[in-house]
Each structure stands twice: as structure tokens, then as C-alpha cells.
Amino acid sequence: MSDYTKKLGRLRKAPEDFLSSEQVAQVQAGRRDFLRKTFLTATATMAAGGAANAYADDRKDWDGEKGSKLILDKPEWGTTLGRGVDEPPYGMPIKYEKNLVRRISPGLAAVTQANVAFAPLQGMFGIITPSGLHFNRSHQGWYEINPEEFRLMVMGEKGLIKNPKVYSVGDIMRMQPVSRIHFIECGANSAMEWGNVAVPTVQYTHGMVSCSEFTGVPLIDLLEDCGADLKGVRFIMAEGADGSHENRTIPMSLVLSGEVLVAYGQNGEMLRAENGYPLRLVVPGVEGVSQIKYLRRIKLGRAPFATKDEVLGYVDMMPDGIQRQYTSVMECKSVITSPSGGQVLMDQGVYNVTGIAWSGRGKIKRVDVSFDGGISWKPARVEGPVQNKALTRFNIPWVWNGKSAFLQSRAVDETGMVQPTYQELRKIRGTRSVYHNNAIQTWQVEETGDIRNVQLANS
Ligand SMILES: Nc1nc2c(c(=O)[nH]1)N[C@H]1C(S)=C(S)[C@@H](COP(=O)(O)O)O[C@H]1N2
Ligand SMILES: [Mo]
């Protein structure tokens, strides 16, 4: 066991992001009892496997006087006046769901304002990440920027632009917007798995991916507004206004496709400060670091800019010792989010196995799921409508027979790209990579019902 997993030993058995310590104590005291007596929150739903007979259980418990026959009791909340509808003015999740939060990985450097908070994928449904749970990767912390004092400059190398301009947020918001659903995944998502560190939960293995409906103006419209030479421009450089001045080269072909957005909206409201308020670049399908937050400058050019953030960071060490730059596109990937590492199956019986799939090359075509570590596969139900370069939800029922099982998902995108196994990926990429890991994830369900993050020799 590495120091890292030792440190997390507590989490592997009883992760606070799934069951509360009280609930875990109840589980240890007697499994069935826990099922009958606990109000099952969304984050604890997997514990309810096969418990479709709550009524029968309630009747068994009924002692006439004190019994909690939940369907027949008249609770206070069913017979009194509820709270005023004007409170609170901005709604928050109910207190019973307070464990579903972003978290900082205990294994990463403890500079909290300049690191990453992971999204709790284990407790989310569908494909949209609530804005308050969108992962936050900030190299220099995040900022609350007054939109009145914010400007975006579009400029370029000599001869590539007739009218360089400086825009206010209001200028951008007067233009015709589009709204599109896209994932953002950090190139470092699942990085620890390259070294088989086995971080315990899906929040830490895959929680640097999130998906929002973004609203904004296609960047191509701004370039036309500035009289850019669209044939002469080969690459653009995007730069952030924050302390890290995050900056990246983006190929003009992506801009010409109309997919690259200067966004101000996220899930129906303005961007969250953590995610780049008031303006961020959205570059669908491309690694997170290119999706520049607090976007202050776009520069047009003829060659890649080789900026600080693409020479040292987000490069891949290949087996021949050469660093690969500009990996850019996030390849076809999927993961089972529940049941997943750190969760506990309470009982044998039927479970819904659910997860997310995505590809930087387009739409997800199919997802197969294996319960025996990749020996046999079954097609999962892919939930539509499937969006371009967005998270896609899959579901498949499974009967757990109490034996050890190895859960895997394998996505295929519309270009035919099949998500690789670790063996396949390491053959090409070697063992020294950190970024761009899209390998198949394995969760082992132990006979006790505990679920662990494992890697198999043959997959
Ligand atoms: N200005 C700025 N933009 C930035 C970053 C940053 O630190 N500063 N981080 C980048 C990285 S590495 C990622 S993965 C994404 C994360 O976006 P999010 O924090 O909205 O999830 O933003 C990118 N854009
Ligand atoms: Mo990132």
C-alpha cells in the first residue's frame, strides 16, 4: 500500500461522500435494519438495492403505539403550514443532501486556493452538472471580478486583423448568442491511475469532468466583427486575466467550425465566479486548460504560440522519451459512477448500474458494460437525446449474487473510436504519462459488498 492509499484507508471503507458515519455505524450493526430505518438520500441510493418492499418491512416493525409505519403515520409536515415561498431568495440543496459537495483530494498538494476541487460524480444524475458542483481547476485561485471593470481584447499579428477591438461584457451580450451542452475535462483527469495509485472514489478518479449548458457568442462572430483575415489566421492564442494568466494555442479550424464560444452563461444563469465569470472560452471536446476563464485576450497568429502552459504542462512523455505537445482533444471515455469505489452494496439483488460517457470527437454511439472484468460485455441503455461533445448517461440493471465482481464500462464514439484498456493505452503511451488517460476503469465489488478501485492484469 502506498502512503497515499494508507492515508485514505478510512475513506476506502467508509467514504463520507456516500454514507454518513452514523449510517456506516448502522450498517455495521446490522445491514437489513439499516435499510428499513434510514431515510435514503440520493447519495445513499445504492444502499437500497432490491428494497422494493418497504411496506412489508414497515409492517413488521409496527408495534401499534410507537411504530413508524411511514405510509400511514401523519407527520407534522403533512398537517401544518409550510415555509414561506420567498425564503431563501436563491434556493440551496436540502440539508439531507449536504454530503454531495466538491472535494479537494487529500493526495494532492495542499495549496487549496490554487489546485482542484473534484465534482461528486457518484451522486449525480443525468448529464448536467449543477453549477455549484462543477469541478474547479484554478492555477492561481479564483476571483470575483466586477463585470463593469472587465474587458476582452481581440488583436493579432501584423496583417491578420483590420480593426482590433476591446469589448465590454455588455458589448458581447448584445450579440446573437447560442446555447450548447458541452463537457469540460481537465487533461489531468484520472492522472493518478497511470501509476495505479488507486484513489478510492470516482470523485477523485474522474471528478475533473463536468458538463453544462453554456451560452455565449461564437468566437468566429467576434473575429468577423474585427475584420480578421479568416484564411490567413492559422492559430489563435487565448489568455486569462487571473494571476496565472493561463494561455493556450487553439487551431483556427476549431474556431471556423463555429463551435468555439466566448461564453457568459452556464446552466441558465451567468457563469459562476469559480468557472470564469464574466467571460470564458468554451472549446468543445478539447482539454480543460484551453477553456480559458476570465478571458481577457484573443491573439490571432500564423503558428502555434508555444506558451508557458503548453510547453511544460499537459504534455505527454512517450516511450521514446520525447514529450508530445498539443494533445488537445479529449478521447472517448466512460466510467461507472454508481456503484463505484467507496460505496457499499447492502444486499444481494438488483442494482441499477449507471455512469457517464463522453468523447471530444463527437457523440457517443454505444456503451458496453462488463461485470466480470472485461471477459463478457452487455450493451447499456444510452439515454438520449445524445449531445455532441457532452456527457452521455448510460444505465443497465445488474443482479449482484454476493460474489466478487469486476465492473467496467467501455464507450464507443461516432467516429468508431473504442475506449482502450490500460494494457492497450500503455503499449502506445508507455508508463510515464500523467495526462490524457481515457482507459477503462475497473471497480471491484468484494464479497462484503465493499467496492474498491482496482486495475486488472488483463485489462
Ligand atoms: N484563466 C484561467 N483559465 C483556466 C484555468 C486557470 O487556472 N485560469 N484553468 C484551466 C484548466 S487546467 C481547466 S481543467 C479548466 C477548468 O475549468 P473549471 O474550473 O471551470 O472547471 O479551466 C482552464 N482555464
Ligand atoms: Mo486542467
Side-chain angles (χ1 to χ4, degrees):
M1 226 197 312
S2 71
D3 280 357
Y4 182 66
T5 36
K6 251 186 253 158
K7 209 161 149 193
L8 290 168
R10 183 181 54 81
L11 282 184
R12 284 200 305 151
K13 279 290 173 198
E16 75 280 24
D17 48 356
F18 178 54
L19 297 176
S20 69
S21 48
E22 247 165 80
Q23 287 172 320
V24 168
Q26 280 177 290
V27 172
Q28 283 156 354
R31 317 194 134 214
R32 298 282 314 162
D33 220 37
F34 168 78
L35 284 186
R36 288 200 295 269
K37 290 190 176 150
T38 306
F39 181 84
L40 291 165
T41 64
T43 48
T45 313
M46 284 317 300
N53 53 350
Y55 181 64
D57 280 351
D58 280 355
R59 277 172 69 97
K60 254 188 276 155
D61 274 357
W62 181 248
D63 71 2
E65 290 298 315
K66 290 178 280 161
S68 68
K69 216 168 181 177
L70 290 179
I71 194 65
L72 294 179
D73 274 356
K74 272 197 184 139
E76 201 203 330
W77 42 260
T79 54
T80 54
L81 189 59
R83 290 194 209 168
V85 292
D86 53 344
E87 280 298 326
Y90 194 102
M92 294 296 290
I94 195 165
K95 62 184 176 187
Y96 303 108
E97 300 296 341
K98 68 175 188 301
N99 286 335
L100 196 74
V101 289
R102 292 189 285 227
R103 290 195 158 85
I104 288 172
S105 174
L108 294 175
V111 194
T112 53
Q113 81 273 29
N115 205 320
V116 50
F118 295 81
L121 302 180
Q122 67 278 7
M124 301 194 318
F125 317 120
I127 65 171
I128 298 292
T129 308
S131 300
L133 294 179
H134 195 290
F135 83 97
N136 176 6
R137 172 78 177 102
S138 294
H139 291 81
Q140 196 72 21
W142 59 276
Y143 303 80
E144 284 190 300
I145 295 175
N146 180 346
E148 305 276 318
E149 290 163 10
F150 190 85
R151 296 289 183 271
L152 164 63
M153 172 165 60
V154 180
M155 41 82 81
E157 289 170 7
K158 226 174 169 187
L160 289 180
I161 182 164
K162 280 201 200 91
N163 309 307
K165 277 190 184 174
V166 173
Y167 295 92
S168 69
V169 178
D171 294 338
I172 304 281
M173 292 182 74
R174 284 175 73 167
M175 302 175 76
Q176 289 277 295
V178 296
S179 294
R180 292 180 192 144
I181 297 172
H182 291 300
F183 75 81
I184 293 181
E185 182 183 21
C186 179
N189 203 17
S190 316
M192 304 295 267
E193 301 298 304
W194 275 112
N196 196 3
V197 176
V199 293
T201 68
V202 72
Q203 179 155 14
Y204 300 131
T205 59
H206 289 74
M208 278 198 276
V209 68
S210 292
C211 186
S212 298
E213 185 198 65
F214 290 104
T215 297
V217 176
L219 177 59
I220 183 84
D221 292 358
L222 292 190
L223 300 196
E224 279 175 348
D225 185 47
C226 293
D229 170 8
L230 298 183
K231 287 203 190 95
V233 180
R234 298 278 315 288
F235 297 91
I236 67 157
M237 193 270 290
E239 178 188 70
D242 55 324
S244 73
H245 279 262
E246 197 69 44
N247 51 6
R248 296 288 294 186
T249 299
I250 292 146
M252 187 60 182
S253 54
L254 293 174
V255 179
L256 288 172
S257 77
E259 282 191 358
V260 179
L261 304 181
V262 175
Y264 47 82
Q266 178 182 9
N267 299 328
E269 58 185 358
M270 290 297 284
L271 285 165
R272 290 294 169 91
E274 304 94 294
N275 304 118
Y277 181 98
L279 295 177
R280 91 173 294 166
L281 204 63
V282 172
V283 190
V286 169
E287 66 179 332
V289 67
S290 297
Q291 324 229 1
I292 300 295
K293 305 192 276 191
Y294 321 110
L295 180 68
R296 77 178 289 272
R297 184 158 71 113
I298 296 283
K299 181 176 181 180
L300 314 181
R302 297 178 176 87
F305 292 82
T307 72
K308 70 173 170 65
D309 295 309
E310 52 202 17
V311 173
L312 286 174
Y314 304 93
V315 293
D316 299 315
M317 176 73 91
M318 302 303 277
D320 60 4
I322 287 180
Q323 297 267 30
R324 183 172 75 180
Q325 277 179 273
Y326 299 114
T327 299
S328 193
V329 174
M330 300 309 290
E331 300 289 356
C332 187
K333 186 168 173 180
S334 72
V335 67
I336 292 170
T337 52
S338 188
S340 62
Q343 295 184 332
V344 186
L345 299 189
M346 305 300 298
D347 235 335
Q348 296 178 28
V350 183
Y351 288 84
N352 180 53
V353 174
T354 191
I356 46 177
W358 63 100
S359 166
R361 299 199 182 273
K363 293 184 180 180
I364 288 298
K365 194 167 77 186
R366 66 180 281 159
V367 181
D368 295 314
V369 170
S370 177
F371 302 106
D372 54 17
I375 297 166
S376 64
W377 296 91
K378 280 186 185 158
R381 194 179 69 192
V382 171
E383 309 299 340
V386 176
Q387 307 279 332
N388 180 41
K389 302 176 186 176
L391 293 190
T392 299
R393 175 66 55 177
F394 62 88
N395 287 296
I396 184 169
W398 173 56
V399 178
W400 183 48
N401 59 10
K403 302 230 170 73
S404 171
F406 296 91
L407 276 48
Q408 299 181 335
S409 66
R410 179 183 67 191
V412 183
D413 72 17
E414 64 180 341
T415 71
M417 184 75 84
V418 181
Q419 185 181 359
T421 61
Y422 270 102
Q423 279 202 332
E424 288 165 336
L425 199 60
R426 286 187 173 121
K427 228 179 264 166
I428 297 163
R429 295 273 300 280
T431 54
R432 309 286 301 280
S433 274
V434 173
Y435 302 104
H436 309 115
N437 172 9
N438 67 324
I440 291 170
Q441 169 70 37
T442 308
W443 302 117
Q444 180 187 10
V445 180
E446 297 177 329
E447 286 173 11
T448 55
D450 292 287
I451 304 175
R452 312 193 290 138
N453 177 7
V454 297
Q455 287 185 18
L456 304 175
N458 65 344
S459 69

